[in-house]
Amino acid sequence: MKHGKRYLESVKVYDRQKLYDPAEGLETVLATAKAKFDETVEAHIRLGVDPRHADQQVRGAVVLPNGTGKTVRVLVFAKGDKAKEALDAGADFVGDDDLVKKIQTENWFGFDVCVATPDMMGTVGRIGRVLGPKGLMPNPKSGTVTFDIAKAIADIKAGKVEYRVDKTAIVHVPIGKVSFGVEKLNENLSTLMDAIIKAKPAAAKGTYIKSLVIATTMGPGVKFNGLKF
């Protein structure tokens, strides 16, 4: 793969073979950020699980103490009093059949997170095939299928992120922006790692956190010592 000038400059500021402790590692990650915009910082965690087995799935959600630095647009499927509750709580889009039709006919996805009350899941299920592949399908495990709409919206707006192991046994999660600085990023990373460690399946054997790599949007991956969490 051919890399650009900024990427090649970033690679020079750290040891690609070293396993960094969190604070030093995050300082190094920030030093590799050469883009002219406020890059997102992402954690990529390889787990010692076999995602092909249902009893080794790792999935959940956690509220990062310092948020993600991103403005999140929330769509809520609800009706009646719950629709009003959603609007009062700050949802960006609220509806039921009208939103399903808009997504179906216009291929519209102008939102980042989808929440639904349990009684609306039959309706939402009609567009499950398009929401699912985009990671937008409401799910009880991530707290996006609930009657407590106000709390769900508040958590999402405050910096709630979902984590889910992919088919290669890796979890990819944003932990903030370069502008956050080391301290805030470290707090977010620690909170995320605590949640993932607590979510360890009973069926998982051997080393659970196999590797942890942190990278900015345009920067190279910096290896962290996953045993420090």
Side-chain angles (χ1 to χ4, degrees):
M1 183 182 293
K2 191 173 182 180
H3 293 293
K5 183 179 178 181
R6 287 197 183 99
Y7 182 95
L8 295 176
E9 288 176 354
S10 297
V11 171
K12 295 176 183 177
V13 305
Y14 76 106
D15 182 346
R16 284 190 279 181
Q17 301 306 315
K18 179 177 178 179
L19 291 178
Y20 288 85
D21 288 345
E24 183 188 5
L26 287 168
E27 286 179 2
T28 305
V29 169
L30 297 186
T32 70
K34 304 293 185 181
K36 294 181 180 179
F37 62 93
D38 192 9
E39 298 177 64
T40 296
V41 180
E42 287 196 352
H44 307 276
I45 308 140
R46 183 182 293 278
L47 302 178
V49 298
D50 186 343
R52 294 173 298 177
H53 299 292
D55 61 355
Q56 293 189 49
Q57 291 293 314
V58 178
R59 181 176 187 177
V62 62
V63 178
L64 301 180
N66 300 298
T68 63
K70 179 183 178 182
T71 300
V72 182
R73 298 163 298 176
V74 181
L75 179 151
V76 177
F77 286 102
K79 52 189 175 182
D81 291 341
K82 288 300 174 181
K84 183 179 184 304
E85 180 183 334
L87 287 170
D88 291 343
D92 299 276
F93 309 98
V94 181
D96 45 78
D97 289 321
D98 56 325
L99 289 178
V100 170
K101 184 177 179 181
K102 185 177 178 67
I103 292 169
Q104 285 178 323
T105 61
E106 300 177 23
N107 197 32
W108 173 74
F109 294 99
F111 52 95
D112 304 297
V113 180
C114 184
V115 179
T117 53
D119 59 313
M120 290 298 300
M121 286 307 292
T123 299
V124 179
R126 300 194 330 242
I127 50 174
R129 288 186 178 180
V130 293
L131 292 180
K134 293 180 179 293
L136 294 170
M137 188 67 180
N139 187 287
K141 290 184 178 180
S142 61
T144 50
V145 177
T146 177
F147 278 120
D148 196 348
I149 292 294
K151 183 179 185 304
I153 294 170
D155 285 347
I156 292 166
K157 295 284 187 179
K160 184 177 183 178
V161 294
E162 291 187 44
Y163 56 86
R164 183 178 185 179
V165 67
D166 66 14
K167 62 182 180 182
T168 62
I170 300 176
V171 175
H172 310 273
V173 186
I175 59 169
K177 296 285 188 178
V178 167
S179 60
F180 280 23
V182 172
E183 186 176 344
K184 287 185 176 180
L185 287 172
N186 201 4
E187 289 175 354
N188 281 357
L189 178 59
S190 295
T191 299
L192 171 65
M193 293 302 293
D194 284 347
I196 290 177
I197 289 169
K198 287 177 182 176
K200 178 182 179 180
K205 306 300 179 184
T207 303
Y208 181 53
I209 306 293
K210 287 201 165 184
S211 69
L212 169 61
V213 175
I214 309 290
T216 61
T217 305
M218 305 296 290
V222 177
K223 297 177 182 178
F224 279 54
N225 185 349
L227 297 179
K228 291 294 181 178
F229 294 94

